[in-house]
Amino acid sequence: MNTPLLLRPHHGLCLLHFVGKGYSDAFTANLAEKAAHLRENPDTKVKICTGADSICAHCPHRRGTACESSKPPRYDRAVLQHSGLKEGQQLTWSELQQKMRLVAHAHLQEICGDCEWYALCAELETKMN
Ligand code: SF4
């Protein structure tokens, strides 16, 4: 992939903790494909964006370039605040993953404790530490 993979900030956390669950078959297949690509190609360039990204693209909750839920923008702001990342910033997945590990270790519950997938991510987080 030469074009950077667009990722909204909190999807760095979702990719870090992905265990094969998602909102729909199409959503989960897309997320699994992106997660596998990044795992195999950690030097892949990613670009931090706001609004719909490469993960939202196949989500049943996407409404154009926005999300029907009010939670994701809040999660994004919190990840930006704790990671120091900026909108438009480009970095490799390896670099982003490192930042997400630190953010998740210290702030996961505070950032996305009310997400429906939080328990799965928190369980994995315990195993990773
Ligand atoms: S729930 Fe919203 S933020 Fe999350 S993947 Fe779907 S459209 Fe994107």
Side-chain angles (χ1 to χ4, degrees), residues 8 10-11 23 27 53 55-56 59 61-62 66-68 72:
R8 55 190 309 158
H10 86 274
H11 280 164
Y23 299 114
F27 174 87
D53 66 358
I55 307 299
C56 301
C59 183
H61 300 296
R62 182 174 61 83
C67 177
E68 69 178 7

Side-chain angles (χ1 to χ4, degrees), residues 16 96-106 125 128:
L16 188 67
L96 181 60
Q97 191 179 34
Q98 249 180 312
K99 286 180 183 291
M100 292 301 102
R101 283 200 177 116
L102 294 173
V103 167
H105 182 62
E125 190 57 36
M128 286 164 92

Side-chain angles (χ1 to χ4, degrees), residues 38 42-46 90-98:
L38 293 171
D43 290 337
T44 299
K45 278 274 180 205
V46 300
Q90 293 193 37
L91 64 173
T92 65
W93 167 245
S94 175
E95 292 165 336
L96 181 60
Q97 191 179 34
Q98 249 180 312

